[in-house]
Amino acid sequence: MNTPPQYRQVPAQVDLPALEHAVLDFWREQKIFAKSLEQSEGRPEWVFYEGPPTANGMPGAHHIEARVFKDVFPRFRTMRGYHVARKAGWDCHGLPVELAVEKELGFSGKKDIEAYGIAEFNAKCRESVLRHTDAFAELTTRMGYWVDLDEAYVTMEPEYIESVWWSLKEIFNKGLLVQDHRVAPWCPRCGTGLSDHELAQGYETVVDPSVYVRFPLTSGPLAGEAALLVWTTTPWTLVSNTAVAAHPRSPTSSRRTARRSWSSPSRWWRRPSARAGRPPARPSPAPRWSAGRTGAPSSWWSSPSRRTSWSTPTT
């Protein structure tokens, strides 16, 4: 007697994308996400707050990665017996939004915004942040991320802003809000403070000129016999410099070159007496400089080819 198979026949060749679409269609038609919330109603809550994306640009691979984690943990907690409501949101604030609109309008700074009109500029920003919500919703559905897109919150709406102020007031009433000092980065171009996230978005490695300049001593026991070595990252100010100042207790050391010697205050080349807290020993006399050199800096003493690199905000 032939017994019927217990499972459906599985084809040898599987069209995985078509299979995914079939599952997504089943979820949508049967309202599986809504049913999972109804089924877990009344159970202990596991609260989930989504950090919403800004929809002024098209979604990218990094959005997929973040939304995978946002989906995995609520699903896991639901299977562990919790009720996990999930509401989507759209982030409508932040300097990147304003910078994108400035780029569209061809602006170069804050003065252009004020000339254009702050109200008009804000309206442009409001239109920009919701420009690609349809693309984000399509991506969310396609990757199987269960979240309520129909009742999504929007951070620029008064109801959301009031809820943030209410939360802050509750934190204050419970004595959990502390007043303190914080060093905040500042963008001189935009004329505003920057958050840590905004600062990280605008960093890049740049190359700026730096030069080493020798200044012959014109007074004291080593006048005409030694020179100070000065390093500066603003060589364009050398023309207006009139003096070199050094703290009298700053440790110094002297170095002899093949042609000349110089003396330089230094924190790196400390003499043993300076490390012990005693006044630094006087540098040994150096050979006299050759005639013809003056006290003014010149290209012969500087090294304009020496450069230094660091990171600087560009927002």
Side-chain angles (χ1 to χ4, degrees), residues 37 43 194 232 251 282:
L37 295 176
R43 296 177 182 175
L194 299 175
T232 176
R282 175 178 172 179

Side-chain angles (χ1 to χ4, degrees), residues 52-294:
T54 304
N56 66 328
M58 291 294 289
H62 60 289
H63 291 107
I64 298 176
E65 179 183 12
R67 291 174 105 68
V68 166
F69 287 105
K70 294 175 183 179
D71 190 45
V72 166
F73 286 96
R75 285 177 183 265
F76 171 75
R77 287 296 176 178
T78 299
M79 291 188 290
R80 296 287 291 179
Y82 291 89
H83 177 72
V84 187
R86 286 94 104 183
K87 177 180 284 192
W90 305 114
D91 187 2
C92 307
H93 294 81
L95 193 59
V97 175
E98 300 180 21
L99 293 177
V101 175
E102 285 187 51
K103 186 175 181 181
E104 291 178 9
L105 298 176
F107 293 171
S108 61
K110 188 176 180 179
K111 292 182 178 180
D112 293 335
I113 298 176
E114 294 172 344
Y116 181 77
I118 295 178
E120 291 78 5
F121 183 78
N122 285 341
K124 272 286 186 181
C125 291
R126 286 174 172 269
E127 181 272 331
S128 169
V129 291
L130 299 177
R131 185 175 299 165
H132 299 290
T133 54
D134 293 342
F136 273 92
E138 182 180 357
L139 170 70
T140 301
T141 302
R142 178 64 184 86
M143 62 181 291
Y145 173 27
W146 281 2
V147 67
D148 187 358
L149 290 167
D150 297 330
E151 301 294 333
Y153 66 90
V154 182
T155 63
M156 64 181 175
E157 292 180 349
E159 294 80 7
Y160 175 84
I161 298 174
E162 290 172 0
S163 71
V164 174
W165 281 110
W166 172 85
S167 301
L168 190 64
K169 180 177 181 294
E170 291 296 311
I171 295 174
F172 175 79
N173 290 339
K174 294 180 179 181
L176 300 176
L177 191 63
V178 178
Q179 182 177 359
D180 204 341
H181 297 280
R182 177 180 182 270
V183 177
W186 176 265
C187 178
R189 175 200 172 277
C190 303
T192 183
L194 299 175
S195 67
D196 293 338
H197 176 66
E198 292 166 344
L199 186 67
Q201 287 185 322
Y203 262 81
E204 64 180 21
T205 299
V206 299
V207 178
D208 279 352
S210 69
V211 298
Y212 292 85
V213 185
R214 287 180 176 179
F215 290 96
L217 297 178
T218 58
S219 62
L222 296 178
E225 297 182 356
L228 297 175
L229 181 64
V230 176
W231 175 64
T232 176
T233 58
T234 56
W236 50 87
T237 63
L238 288 172
V239 178
S240 60
N241 292 151
T242 58
V244 176
H247 195 280
R249 295 184 180 178
S250 177
T252 62
S253 66
S254 61
R255 290 293 182 270
R256 187 187 304 271
T257 64
R259 301 179 61 182
R260 291 169 178 83
S261 295
W262 51 269
S263 178
S264 172
S266 172
R267 289 181 295 176
W268 299 278
W269 299 326
R270 297 192 178 187
R271 303 176 69 89
S273 58
R275 286 197 298 268
R278 298 188 298 273
R282 175 178 172 179
S284 58
R288 181 177 295 274
W289 283 45
S290 59
R293 299 298 176 187
T294 65

